[in-house]
Amino acid sequence: MSAHAPILAIAVPLLGGFATPLLAKLHKRIRDLWVLLIVLFVGVAVGYVAVHVFTQGIWVYVLGARHPQETVVSGGFPIRIMLVVDAMGAFMGVITALMALVAFPAALKYLPEEEGKTLALTLGSLLLAGIMGMAYTGDLFNFFVFLEVTSIAACALIGFRTWTSRAPEAAFKTMLLFSVSGLLFLLAVAFLYGEYGALNLAYVSVLLRGSAVDRLALALFLGALLMKAAAAPVHFWAPDAYGEAPAVKALLLVVNTQVSLYGLWRVLFTLYGGILDTTVGWLVVAMGLLTMVVAAFMALAQTDLGRLVAYGAVSQIGYMLLGVGVGLVTMSGRPDYGLVAMKGGIFHMLNDALTVGLLFLCVAAVELVKGTRDLRELGGLGHGLPEVALFFLVASLALAGIPPLNGFASKILIYEGSFRASPILAAVAVLTSILLLAVFARAFQGAFLGPRVNVEVRVPWPILVSMGVLAVGILILGLVPGFFVEAMVTPAAKALWLGRSLYLSAVLGG
Amino acid sequence: MTVVVRTITRILFPIALVFGGYVIMHGHLTPGGGFQGGAVAASALAMVVVAFGAKSLSGKKGLLSALESLGGVAFAALGFLGLGVTFFANVLAGSGGLFGNPVPYGPNPGDLNTAGTLPLMNWAVGFKVLAGLGAVVLLFALFGGEHDR
């Protein structure tokens, strides 16, 4: 079985998602157990793949071949769908599995049975399968298929509370954006297929000549993936989506934006790595700055706790774009500070998943207890919910990049790297962080401080456990970042920055 | 709907289902396949909804939902069948058993008993599309309400 670990991490949640409604007909307990088993299995498979990839290099798995490593047919032409997991893909898988392990047990307690819990769990499993597929695939069309799987599952989760007025609107908005994004991606793939007659990422990458069609395809890729990753100015679906989806499931939506960013890195560094010039890098940097500033200012204006956190999450996307963008800008000379910035951007993906995940769980707890997320009606919850208040404080400080929490660990790398590229970049990033600190201080004050209010509902213990796990993760990553950077982030950054030839030879041989 | 529509629906319903089944069954030999055949079969359900009203099928929602899940499970399970070799490996092709005949070369009318797991996957997809599309049409008709018509 272990030889098939990469595909099992995708196929098991897919099968599990389809089987969930059937098992729910038998008994609700069986369904809950089944969902837990699936998520645990994905965690084990992803962990196994990650250890294997970090110690022994790229793992290629070919579907339907005579043996899993039979990548090419005679003539050196890859025809089958294949999974190619390098250090970056494995790192993305680890983030996904971590968030799934936190989100699903909490969701079992958080989602009310009469609101269609079975369907939410099914959609969650499918979303998980899609995200894992995007992280592991080595085929452009396959990436598109998984992109669509995540789009459909995500939209259905967002519009899940059909009886409210805002959820269907948010779902419609998101569906529109995701459809356009999916079509742009498909068009780009069609251009490349028309030109080179191949869909395998590594094979197309070798053939790319940098013609006008290739450049057009690159623009379409950029547009599609930035749209899905909620970068400004196409970020406006994200606050609605994060705010309206059942809050526990918003954790998976956060990973969904990150895996789109991962797709962007894959396209820029691996697919177009041979022909890219610095213009694209500066474009990514500019998008990053725009995203972080716009989202931080938008967060300042929010009165809804969920939307405020969502804008905070969007602004973090800007930091990742900035970090990796600086790496792209300096690709030609490959100075040390470029790698530092890339490490920061990639490390920030993990940190952002933890902090934003914890914030969304806090929002879920507040909403569960008070039935509202409106900051004008909330207040004084710190007396009745001291744990939640503490977790919210830890997560907001981490998000604003205050030491010794994990947000600081990755942001300092981004500041360092981008300062060497241009001091203005670092200055904007630091100022945005200060602004975010102000935003979250206000949110904390608005929701948790103030005169005591009575709290009748208790927060279910699985949600508190999930919060605790994330908070401990935030602390550990903040206190000993060096270990994680060396073990996972540096290989991931190097896989993108230097590893293109390794990726290509792993697929095509020689 | 009028008695003309209802009568013709009674006649066409089995024909549409059988044609859908035909397209699914020959998916590995002729144009079409699981999705297309499932869509054709689902049109039979749509016809019933139009002719007899959504209420006539409203009891079948659970069945359609179960059938849809089963189709998905069957498809993924067929992928797992190949795990001895690789995921999605076609273990039945050329085995001599079910759908296991060698594919004939040259001009021929086509041998249905070939292609291994592919026809089975076509059936899985076909049932999923039939149930899924049928459920969508049925739900639209049910939620459309009386005053829409």
Side-chain angles (χ1 to χ4, degrees), chain B residues 50-87:
Chain B
V50 170
F52 296 93
K55 292 264 159 52
S56 64
L57 279 177
S58 60
K60 300 283 190 288
K61 272 186 296 185
L63 179 70
L64 288 179
S65 150
L67 199 60
E68 204 224 340
S69 301
L70 268 179
V73 169
F75 185 82
L78 283 166
F80 278 94
L81 207 61
L83 267 194
V85 191
T86 51
F87 194 77

Short mmCIF file of all heavy atoms in Angstrom, two decimals, chain B residues 50-87:
data_model
loop_
_atom_site.label_atom_id
_atom_site.label_comp_id
_atom_site.label_asym_id
_atom_site.label_seq_id
_atom_site.Cartn_x
_atom_site.Cartn_y
_atom_site.Cartn_z
N VAL B 50 -42.05 16.64 -17.00
CA VAL B 50 -42.85 17.57 -17.79
C VAL B 50 -44.28 17.05 -17.97
O VAL B 50 -45.25 17.77 -17.78
CB VAL B 50 -42.18 17.80 -19.17
CG1 VAL B 50 -43.11 18.56 -20.10
CG2 VAL B 50 -40.87 18.54 -18.99
N ALA B 51 -44.40 15.76 -18.30
CA ALA B 51 -45.71 15.23 -18.66
C ALA B 51 -46.60 14.99 -17.45
O ALA B 51 -47.79 15.29 -17.49
CB ALA B 51 -45.53 13.92 -19.44
N PHE B 52 -46.02 14.46 -16.37
CA PHE B 52 -46.86 14.06 -15.24
C PHE B 52 -46.69 14.96 -14.03
O PHE B 52 -47.32 14.74 -13.01
CB PHE B 52 -46.55 12.61 -14.84
CG PHE B 52 -46.89 11.62 -15.91
CD1 PHE B 52 -45.95 11.21 -16.84
CD2 PHE B 52 -48.19 11.11 -16.01
CE1 PHE B 52 -46.28 10.32 -17.83
CE2 PHE B 52 -48.51 10.21 -17.00
CZ PHE B 52 -47.56 9.82 -17.93
N GLY B 53 -45.79 15.95 -14.12
CA GLY B 53 -45.57 16.83 -12.98
C GLY B 53 -44.53 16.27 -12.04
O GLY B 53 -44.33 15.05 -11.97
N ALA B 54 -43.87 17.18 -11.31
CA ALA B 54 -42.77 16.76 -10.45
C ALA B 54 -43.27 15.89 -9.30
O ALA B 54 -42.55 15.04 -8.80
CB ALA B 54 -42.05 17.98 -9.91
N LYS B 55 -44.53 16.09 -8.90
CA LYS B 55 -45.05 15.35 -7.74
C LYS B 55 -45.01 13.84 -7.98
O LYS B 55 -44.82 13.06 -7.04
CB LYS B 55 -46.50 15.78 -7.47
CG LYS B 55 -46.62 17.20 -6.98
CD LYS B 55 -46.71 17.25 -5.46
CE LYS B 55 -46.34 18.60 -4.91
NZ LYS B 55 -47.08 19.72 -5.53
N SER B 56 -45.17 13.44 -9.26
CA SER B 56 -45.21 12.01 -9.56
C SER B 56 -43.89 11.33 -9.25
O SER B 56 -43.85 10.12 -9.08
CB SER B 56 -45.57 11.81 -11.04
OG SER B 56 -44.56 12.36 -11.85
N LEU B 57 -42.80 12.11 -9.21
CA LEU B 57 -41.49 11.51 -8.96
C LEU B 57 -40.92 11.90 -7.61
O LEU B 57 -39.82 11.50 -7.26
CB LEU B 57 -40.50 11.95 -10.05
CG LEU B 57 -40.55 11.20 -11.38
CD1 LEU B 57 -39.56 11.81 -12.35
CD2 LEU B 57 -40.26 9.73 -11.19
N SER B 58 -41.68 12.71 -6.84
CA SER B 58 -41.07 13.27 -5.63
C SER B 58 -40.69 12.20 -4.63
O SER B 58 -39.81 12.40 -3.79
CB SER B 58 -42.01 14.29 -4.98
OG SER B 58 -43.22 13.64 -4.65
N GLY B 59 -41.31 11.02 -4.70
CA GLY B 59 -40.95 9.94 -3.79
C GLY B 59 -39.61 9.31 -4.13
O GLY B 59 -39.10 8.51 -3.35
N LYS B 60 -39.07 9.63 -5.30
CA LYS B 60 -37.86 8.95 -5.78
C LYS B 60 -36.58 9.70 -5.44
O LYS B 60 -35.52 9.33 -5.88
CB LYS B 60 -37.95 8.77 -7.31
CG LYS B 60 -39.14 7.94 -7.78
CD LYS B 60 -38.88 6.46 -7.55
CE LYS B 60 -39.93 5.60 -8.21
NZ LYS B 60 -41.23 5.67 -7.51
N LYS B 61 -36.72 10.80 -4.66
CA LYS B 61 -35.53 11.60 -4.37
C LYS B 61 -34.46 10.79 -3.66
O LYS B 61 -33.27 10.85 -3.99
CB LYS B 61 -35.91 12.82 -3.51
CG LYS B 61 -36.32 14.02 -4.33
CD LYS B 61 -36.54 15.23 -3.45
CE LYS B 61 -37.69 15.00 -2.49
NZ LYS B 61 -38.03 16.17 -1.69
N GLY B 62 -34.88 10.01 -2.65
CA GLY B 62 -33.93 9.19 -1.89
C GLY B 62 -33.23 8.19 -2.78
O GLY B 62 -32.01 8.00 -2.69
N LEU B 63 -33.99 7.57 -3.69
CA LEU B 63 -33.43 6.58 -4.59
C LEU B 63 -32.37 7.23 -5.49
O LEU B 63 -31.28 6.70 -5.68
CB LEU B 63 -34.55 5.98 -5.43
CG LEU B 63 -34.11 4.94 -6.45
CD1 LEU B 63 -33.67 3.67 -5.74
CD2 LEU B 63 -35.22 4.64 -7.44
N LEU B 64 -32.72 8.41 -6.06
CA LEU B 64 -31.78 9.09 -6.95
C LEU B 64 -30.50 9.45 -6.20
O LEU B 64 -29.39 9.28 -6.70
CB LEU B 64 -32.42 10.35 -7.53
CG LEU B 64 -33.50 10.11 -8.58
CD1 LEU B 64 -34.07 11.44 -9.05
CD2 LEU B 64 -32.93 9.37 -9.76
N SER B 65 -30.67 9.96 -4.98
CA SER B 65 -29.50 10.37 -4.19
C SER B 65 -28.60 9.16 -3.90
O SER B 65 -27.37 9.23 -4.04
CB SER B 65 -29.98 11.03 -2.90
OG SER B 65 -29.07 10.84 -1.88
N ALA B 66 -29.23 8.03 -3.54
CA ALA B 66 -28.44 6.83 -3.25
C ALA B 66 -27.73 6.34 -4.49
O ALA B 66 -26.56 5.96 -4.46
CB ALA B 66 -29.34 5.74 -2.69
N LEU B 67 -28.46 6.37 -5.64
CA LEU B 67 -27.88 5.89 -6.91
C LEU B 67 -26.69 6.75 -7.30
O LEU B 67 -25.66 6.26 -7.76
CB LEU B 67 -28.96 5.97 -7.98
CG LEU B 67 -28.73 5.14 -9.24
CD1 LEU B 67 -28.61 3.68 -8.89
CD2 LEU B 67 -29.87 5.36 -10.22
N GLU B 68 -26.81 8.06 -7.05
CA GLU B 68 -25.72 8.97 -7.40
C GLU B 68 -24.48 8.66 -6.57
O GLU B 68 -23.37 8.55 -7.10
CB GLU B 68 -26.17 10.41 -7.16
CG GLU B 68 -25.41 11.40 -8.00
CD GLU B 68 -25.00 12.61 -7.21
OE1 GLU B 68 -25.60 12.86 -6.16
OE2 GLU B 68 -24.06 13.28 -7.63
N SER B 69 -24.68 8.48 -5.26
CA SER B 69 -23.53 8.15 -4.40
C SER B 69 -22.91 6.83 -4.82
O SER B 69 -21.69 6.69 -4.89
CB SER B 69 -23.97 8.07 -2.95
OG SER B 69 -24.53 9.28 -2.53
N LEU B 70 -23.79 5.84 -5.13
CA LEU B 70 -23.28 4.53 -5.53
C LEU B 70 -22.42 4.62 -6.78
O LEU B 70 -21.37 3.98 -6.87
CB LEU B 70 -24.45 3.58 -5.78
CG LEU B 70 -24.89 2.75 -4.58
CD1 LEU B 70 -26.07 1.89 -4.96
CD2 LEU B 70 -23.75 1.89 -4.08
N GLY B 71 -22.88 5.44 -7.75
CA GLY B 71 -22.10 5.62 -8.98
C GLY B 71 -20.71 6.15 -8.67
O GLY B 71 -19.71 5.65 -9.18
N GLY B 72 -20.65 7.16 -7.80
CA GLY B 72 -19.36 7.74 -7.45
C GLY B 72 -18.47 6.73 -6.74
O GLY B 72 -17.29 6.58 -7.05
N VAL B 73 -19.07 6.01 -5.79
CA VAL B 73 -18.29 5.01 -5.04
C VAL B 73 -17.77 3.95 -5.99
O VAL B 73 -16.60 3.55 -5.92
CB VAL B 73 -19.16 4.38 -3.93
CG1 VAL B 73 -18.47 3.18 -3.33
CG2 VAL B 73 -19.45 5.40 -2.85
N ALA B 74 -18.65 3.49 -6.91
CA ALA B 74 -18.25 2.42 -7.83
C ALA B 74 -17.08 2.87 -8.70
O ALA B 74 -16.12 2.13 -8.92
CB ALA B 74 -19.43 2.01 -8.70
N PHE B 75 -17.14 4.14 -9.16
CA PHE B 75 -16.06 4.64 -10.02
C PHE B 75 -14.73 4.63 -9.28
O PHE B 75 -13.72 4.12 -9.78
CB PHE B 75 -16.40 6.05 -10.51
CG PHE B 75 -15.39 6.58 -11.49
CD1 PHE B 75 -15.47 6.24 -12.82
CD2 PHE B 75 -14.37 7.41 -11.07
CE1 PHE B 75 -14.54 6.71 -13.72
CE2 PHE B 75 -13.44 7.89 -11.96
CZ PHE B 75 -13.53 7.54 -13.29
N ALA B 76 -14.74 5.21 -8.06
CA ALA B 76 -13.50 5.26 -7.29
C ALA B 76 -13.02 3.86 -6.94
O ALA B 76 -11.84 3.56 -6.99
CB ALA B 76 -13.69 6.11 -6.04
N ALA B 77 -13.99 2.97 -6.62
CA ALA B 77 -13.61 1.61 -6.23
C ALA B 77 -12.96 0.90 -7.40
O ALA B 77 -12.01 0.12 -7.21
CB ALA B 77 -14.84 0.84 -5.76
N LEU B 78 -13.43 1.17 -8.64
CA LEU B 78 -12.81 0.54 -9.81
C LEU B 78 -11.37 1.01 -9.96
O LEU B 78 -10.51 0.27 -10.45
CB LEU B 78 -13.61 0.87 -11.07
CG LEU B 78 -14.90 0.06 -11.21
CD1 LEU B 78 -15.79 0.66 -12.27
CD2 LEU B 78 -14.58 -1.38 -11.54
N GLY B 79 -11.10 2.27 -9.56
CA GLY B 79 -9.72 2.74 -9.56
C GLY B 79 -8.90 1.95 -8.57
O GLY B 79 -7.78 1.54 -8.86
N PHE B 80 -9.49 1.69 -7.38
CA PHE B 80 -8.76 0.95 -6.35
C PHE B 80 -8.48 -0.49 -6.79
O PHE B 80 -7.55 -1.12 -6.31
CB PHE B 80 -9.56 0.93 -5.04
CG PHE B 80 -9.38 2.17 -4.23
CD1 PHE B 80 -10.27 3.22 -4.34
CD2 PHE B 80 -8.32 2.29 -3.36
CE1 PHE B 80 -10.10 4.38 -3.60
CE2 PHE B 80 -8.14 3.44 -2.61
CZ PHE B 80 -9.03 4.48 -2.73
N LEU B 81 -9.33 -1.00 -7.72
CA LEU B 81 -9.16 -2.37 -8.19
C LEU B 81 -7.76 -2.58 -8.77
O LEU B 81 -7.22 -3.68 -8.70
CB LEU B 81 -10.22 -2.64 -9.26
CG LEU B 81 -10.67 -4.06 -9.47
CD1 LEU B 81 -11.30 -4.59 -8.21
CD2 LEU B 81 -11.68 -4.12 -10.61
N GLY B 82 -7.19 -1.50 -9.32
CA GLY B 82 -5.88 -1.64 -9.96
C GLY B 82 -4.71 -1.53 -9.00
O GLY B 82 -3.57 -1.56 -9.42
N LEU B 83 -4.99 -1.37 -7.71
CA LEU B 83 -3.91 -1.05 -6.76
C LEU B 83 -2.80 -2.10 -6.72
O LEU B 83 -1.69 -1.80 -6.30
CB LEU B 83 -4.47 -0.86 -5.35
CG LEU B 83 -4.82 0.58 -4.98
CD1 LEU B 83 -5.02 0.70 -3.50
CD2 LEU B 83 -3.72 1.52 -5.42
N GLY B 84 -3.10 -3.36 -7.16
CA GLY B 84 -2.04 -4.35 -7.21
C GLY B 84 -0.92 -3.91 -8.14
O GLY B 84 0.24 -4.24 -7.94
N VAL B 85 -1.28 -3.14 -9.18
CA VAL B 85 -0.29 -2.64 -10.14
C VAL B 85 -0.10 -1.15 -9.87
O VAL B 85 0.84 -0.73 -9.21
CB VAL B 85 -0.77 -2.88 -11.59
CG1 VAL B 85 0.36 -2.63 -12.55
CG2 VAL B 85 -1.32 -4.29 -11.73
N THR B 86 -1.00 -0.33 -10.42
CA THR B 86 -1.05 1.09 -10.08
C THR B 86 -2.53 1.46 -9.99
O THR B 86 -3.38 0.76 -10.51
CB THR B 86 -0.41 1.99 -11.15
OG1 THR B 86 -0.98 1.64 -12.41
CG2 THR B 86 1.08 1.84 -11.18
N PHE B 87 -2.81 2.57 -9.36
CA PHE B 87 -4.18 3.06 -9.28
C PHE B 87 -4.71 3.27 -10.70
O PHE B 87 -4.01 3.80 -11.55
CB PHE B 87 -4.21 4.38 -8.51
CG PHE B 87 -5.57 4.80 -8.08
CD1 PHE B 87 -6.17 4.19 -6.99
CD2 PHE B 87 -6.25 5.80 -8.74
CE1 PHE B 87 -7.43 4.58 -6.57
CE2 PHE B 87 -7.51 6.18 -8.34
CZ PHE B 87 -8.10 5.58 -7.24
#
